[in-house]
């Protein structure tokens, strides 16, 4: 059984598009990245999955449970971190954590204390006095302390300093290794590339592509940087060719022997051939509709 199955999920706010006919599958035990800039539809998708808003059409299931009919059963198995958090004024961190644990009918004190220690969060502080980063830490502990099977995290690292981001992802990797499924939305592509096993890209409320991160990166296209001069711009398979102060830079998906022959005829001081990173692939999907990459689904 998959952790999440979404079929043609659509949400309109009046005439305004939220998401439109989204379909994707998150396998049990995956560390899944949901990539897109602000306004792409990430938060709408996550809130619809949790029953916080009702879809206009389509369907979704979490561990086989229908999001419209079995919401309470779903929430018992999920830890949710919204992108923006707020708490009752005047309460202390420990009160917020207890309230969250009580809602799940669990004694989470031991796990909550360990998470607070790792995230350097003072349970005695009043939430009114907390920085944005410490409010986010409080919400993270609330989402994780009951040890859910599925973590749904919406832009989770906003407000966290680099050391806390590293610790946070270490915690997520530990949970994932122990069997939890992680579904994480982010516009920070480095987070997805370094931590996720699978990913989907969303633009204007629609899925552009999905699959394993390894296959998304394994496009067969190379980034070529040349220091010197060679007439590579007219080769078949050259894209985004532009001259630099030292030479030329371009994407190449053609025959490598043809490239080497052309390069050998020029005056070359240095050549570098690398795989494009996830950010470059993402930008091509956004700026050119993805026609320059052909990814099999995984």
């Amino acid at each position: 059984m998959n952790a999440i199955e979404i079929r043609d999920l659509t949400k309109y706010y009046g005439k305004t598009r939220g998401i439109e006919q989204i379909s994707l599958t998150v396998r049990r035990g995956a560390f899944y990245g949901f990539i897109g800039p602000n306004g792409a539809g990430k938060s709408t998708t996550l809130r619809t999955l949790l029953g916080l808003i009702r879809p206009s059409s389509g369907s979704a299931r979490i561990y086989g449970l229908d999001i419209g009919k079995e919401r309470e059963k779903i929430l018992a198995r999920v830890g949710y971190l919204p992108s923006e958090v707020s708490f009752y004024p005047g309460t202390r961190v420990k009160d917020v954590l207890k309230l969250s644990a009580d809602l799940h009918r669990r004694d989470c004190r031991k796990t909550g204390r360990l998470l607070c220690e790792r995230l350097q969060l003072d349970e005695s502080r009043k939430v009114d006095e907390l920085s944005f980063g410490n409010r986010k830490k409080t919400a993270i502990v609330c989402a994780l302390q009951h040890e859910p099977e599925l973590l749904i995290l919406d832009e989770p690292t906003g407000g966290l300093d680099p050391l806390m981001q590293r610790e946070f992802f270490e915690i997520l990797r530990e949970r994932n290794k122990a069997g939890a499924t992680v579904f994480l939305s982010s516009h920070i592509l480095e987070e997805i590339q370094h931590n996720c096993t699978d990913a989907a890209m969303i633009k204007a409320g629609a899925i552009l592509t999905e699959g394993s991160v390894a296959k998304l990166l394994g496009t067969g296209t190379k980034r070529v940087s040349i220091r010197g001069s060679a007439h590579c711009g007219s080769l078949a398979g050259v894209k985004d060719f532009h001259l630099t102060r030292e030479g030329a830079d371009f994407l190449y998906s053609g025959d490598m022997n043809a490239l080497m022959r052309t390069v050998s005829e020029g005056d070359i001081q240095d050549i570098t051939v690398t795989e494009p990173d996830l950010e470059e692939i993402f930008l091509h999907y956004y700026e050119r509709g993805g026609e320059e990459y052909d990814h099999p689904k995984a």
Side-chain angles (χ1 to χ4, degrees), residues 93-209:
V93 171
K94 62 182 179 182
D95 301 321
V96 174
L97 301 185
K98 184 178 185 305
L99 174 60
S100 177
D102 289 345
L103 290 172
H104 287 282
R105 299 182 177 88
R106 297 278 299 274
D107 183 354
C108 303
R109 286 175 291 182
K110 181 179 178 180
T111 304
R113 281 196 298 270
L114 290 173
L115 288 169
C116 286
E117 289 174 7
R118 293 185 66 173
L119 295 173
Q120 299 178 20
L121 177 63
D122 186 349
E123 294 183 64
S124 67
R125 295 280 303 279
K126 287 187 176 182
V127 293
D128 312 67
E129 302 169 350
L130 297 179
S131 65
F132 175 64
N134 280 318
R135 291 199 303 273
K136 180 60 70 75
K137 292 178 189 179
T138 303
I140 289 171
V141 178
C142 287
L144 301 184
Q145 66 177 352
H146 60 289
E147 300 181 326
E149 298 174 60
L150 171 63
L151 296 171
I152 295 181
L153 312 170
D154 193 0
E155 300 284 356
T157 57
L160 299 182
D161 65 48
L163 289 176
M164 285 299 102
Q165 289 180 24
R166 184 170 64 183
E167 184 65 25
F168 170 68
F169 277 109
E170 180 62 29
I171 293 169
L172 292 188
R173 285 190 291 270
E174 291 170 7
R175 293 294 182 92
N176 181 242
K177 188 175 181 179
T181 303
V182 180
F183 187 50
L184 176 151
S185 84
S186 180
H187 64 273
I188 303 173
L189 299 177
E190 187 177 10
E191 293 182 350
I192 304 297
Q193 184 168 341
H194 291 170
N195 297 288
C196 296
T197 55
D198 305 271
M201 297 181 184
I202 182 172
K203 176 184 180 181
I207 299 295
L208 291 176
T209 187

Side-chain angles (χ1 to χ4, degrees), residues 3-281:
I4 300 173
E5 294 180 343
I6 302 174
R7 296 291 175 265
D8 298 322
L9 198 64
T10 298
K11 175 63 182 178
Y12 270 82
Y13 302 96
K15 295 183 179 181
T16 304
R17 182 271 308 157
I19 53 176
E20 194 165 33
Q21 294 187 316
I22 282 184
S23 296
L24 60 85
T25 299
V26 179
R27 61 182 176 81
R28 186 190 290 263
F31 201 131
Y32 200 101
F34 196 39
I35 314 168
N38 294 333
K42 302 189 303 297
S43 294
T44 296
T45 302
L46 302 192
R47 291 169 185 165
T48 304
L49 278 178
L50 293 165
L52 300 176
I53 53 179
R54 291 186 177 183
S56 302
S57 62
S59 64
R61 291 182 175 272
I62 292 180
Y63 293 118
L65 302 171
D66 186 276
I67 62 169
K69 300 175 182 177
E70 300 170 285
R71 180 169 174 258
E72 289 189 12
K73 291 180 181 178
I74 289 172
L75 293 179
R77 304 172 70 172
V78 172
Y80 172 55
L81 175 66
S83 57
E84 298 180 5
V85 296
S86 59
F87 306 107
Y88 292 116
T91 57
R92 297 185 184 275
V93 171
K94 62 182 179 182
D95 301 321
V96 174
L97 301 185
K98 184 178 185 305
L99 174 60
S100 177
D102 289 345
L103 290 172
H104 287 282
R105 299 182 177 88
R106 297 278 299 274
D107 183 354
C108 303
R109 286 175 291 182
K110 181 179 178 180
T111 304
R113 281 196 298 270
L114 290 173
L115 288 169
C116 286
E117 289 174 7
R118 293 185 66 173
L119 295 173
Q120 299 178 20
L121 177 63
D122 186 349
E123 294 183 64
S124 67
R125 295 280 303 279
K126 287 187 176 182
V127 293
D128 312 67
E129 302 169 350
L130 297 179
S131 65
F132 175 64
N134 280 318
R135 291 199 303 273
K136 180 60 70 75
K137 292 178 189 179
T138 303
I140 289 171
V141 178
C142 287
L144 301 184
Q145 66 177 352
H146 60 289
E147 300 181 326
E149 298 174 60
L150 171 63
L151 296 171
I152 295 181
L153 312 170
D154 193 0
E155 300 284 356
T157 57
L160 299 182
D161 65 48
L163 289 176
M164 285 299 102
Q165 289 180 24
R166 184 170 64 183
E167 184 65 25
F168 170 68
F169 277 109
E170 180 62 29
I171 293 169
L172 292 188
R173 285 190 291 270
E174 291 170 7
R175 293 294 182 92
N176 181 242
K177 188 175 181 179
T181 303
V182 180
F183 187 50
L184 176 151
S185 84
S186 180
H187 64 273
I188 303 173
L189 299 177
E190 187 177 10
E191 293 182 350
I192 304 297
Q193 184 168 341
H194 291 170
N195 297 288
C196 296
T197 55
D198 305 271
M201 297 181 184
I202 182 172
K203 176 184 180 181
I207 299 295
L208 291 176
T209 187
E210 65 167 315
S212 71
V213 170
K215 287 199 173 184
L216 290 175
L217 291 169
T219 64
T221 299
K222 309 295 183 182
R223 166 62 66 186
V224 180
S225 297
I226 290 174
R227 187 158 58 88
S229 61
H231 300 292
C232 299
S234 60
L235 276 174
V238 170
K239 298 178 285 288
D240 283 358
F241 183 88
H242 63 275
L243 295 174
T244 67
R245 184 175 300 176
E246 294 82 14
D249 188 80
F250 54 92
L251 290 172
Y252 186 69
S253 58
D255 179 48
M256 290 301 294
N257 291 314
L259 174 64
M260 292 299 103
R261 284 194 295 270
T262 301
V263 168
S264 67
E265 294 171 357
D267 180 17
I268 303 298
Q269 283 80 53
D270 192 18
I271 181 170
T272 303
V273 180
T274 60
E275 297 285 347
D277 61 18
L278 190 59
E279 181 173 4
E280 191 159 46
I281 294 169

